[in-house]
Amino acid sequence: MSENPSVSDNESSPRKTTEPSGVDLARVALRAAKEQARARGDAAQQKKQARRGGLRSGARADGRDPMALGSAINRLITERGWEAPAAVGGVMGRWPQIVGEDVAKHCVPEKYDEDERTLSVRCDSTAWATNLRLLAPTLVARLNEDLGHGAVRQIKVQGPGGPARRYGPLRAPGSTGPGDTYG
C-alpha cells in the first residue's frame, strides 16, 4: 500500500503543472474583464463625443492631427506598398546622373514593369540602342545599387519608332506604308 500513494502522487503532479491554478484563472478573468471595460469605455466616449458635435482633437497628439505633406506621402507609399515604383520613379528623374550625360541625351527611360522588374528604355537611333544593350548589365548593377538588390532584373532597349502611318486618299490599297522599311 505504501507504493500506491507514491504512484498516485507521481500521476497527480503532472496534472497540477498543466492545469492552471486558481490564481492563474483569476488573472485571466481579471484581464478579460479589464479589456471588456476598456472597450465599453471607448464606445461610450465616442458616443459622448458624437453628441457634442463630432470627434475633436485634444491637447495630446492623435491620428487625426494634421501632418506635413512629406510625412503623409511617405505614409501613403508605405501603406500601399509603392516603395519600389516610387524609387524607380526617382531614378527616372535622375537618369542623367545615373547613366551619364552622353547616354541620357540619346536614351530615355519610358516605363517600369513591377511584376517583371523590367525597365524599358527608348533610344533615338539604332546605334545608341545597340550601345545601350551592351551597357545593360552594368546599368542593371548600378540601378540595383541605388534601388536595392533585385529591383531591376532586366533593361529592355527599344530603338526609334517609325514615322506615323498616315491614312488618306493617296494611300495605295494593300500597302503597309512606311512600315515596310521600319518593320
Side-chain angles (χ1 to χ4, degrees), residues 42-57 64:
D42 288 344
Q45 175 104 11
Q46 287 177 354
K47 284 181 185 177
K48 185 177 171 184
Q49 287 179 345
R51 280 190 299 245
R52 283 191 292 179
L55 297 174
R56 297 182 186 168
S57 180
R64 296 170 290 146

Side-chain angles (χ1 to χ4, degrees), residues 87 91 94-104 119 132 135-153 155:
V91 164
R94 294 180 289 121
W95 184 250
Q97 290 86 18
I98 293 172
V99 298
E101 292 293 328
D102 293 336
V103 176
L119 180 66
L132 194 66
L135 291 173
T138 307
L139 288 177
V140 168
R142 192 177 300 165
L143 290 169
N144 284 332
E145 273 181 26
D146 198 30
L147 300 174
H149 183 67
V152 177
R153 291 184 187 162
I155 294 179

Side-chain angles (χ1 to χ4, degrees), residues 33-173:
K34 283 183 178 180
E35 288 175 6
Q36 290 173 354
R38 188 175 302 121
R40 282 193 306 269
D42 288 344
Q45 175 104 11
Q46 287 177 354
K47 284 181 185 177
K48 185 177 171 184
Q49 287 179 345
R51 280 190 299 245
R52 283 191 292 179
L55 297 174
R56 297 182 186 168
S57 180
R60 289 181 221 106
D62 64 4
R64 296 170 290 146
D65 288 341
M67 59 179 20
L69 181 62
S71 300
I73 290 174
N74 287 337
R75 189 173 95 188
L76 179 68
I77 287 172
T78 304
E79 286 175 357
R80 302 278 172 112
W82 293 341
E83 289 92 0
V88 171
V91 164
M92 290 183 177
R94 294 180 289 121
W95 184 250
Q97 290 86 18
I98 293 172
V99 298
E101 292 293 328
D102 293 336
V103 176
K105 288 178 188 174
H106 301 283
C107 303
V108 179
E110 286 191 337
K111 69 176 183 174
Y112 174 72
D113 185 2
E114 187 177 1
D115 296 331
E116 295 180 16
R117 297 182 184 205
T118 303
L119 180 66
S120 297
V121 179
R122 173 135 346 245
C123 297
D124 61 359
S125 70
T126 55
W128 275 103
T130 302
N131 191 18
L132 194 66
R133 283 187 190 101
L134 294 173
L135 291 173
T138 307
L139 288 177
V140 168
R142 192 177 300 165
L143 290 169
N144 284 332
E145 273 181 26
D146 198 30
L147 300 174
H149 183 67
V152 177
R153 291 184 187 162
Q154 179 182 5
I155 294 179
K156 285 188 179 177
V157 180
Q158 300 169 349
R165 296 185 177 172
R166 296 210 161 75
Y167 299 98
L170 300 177
R171 182 179 163 132

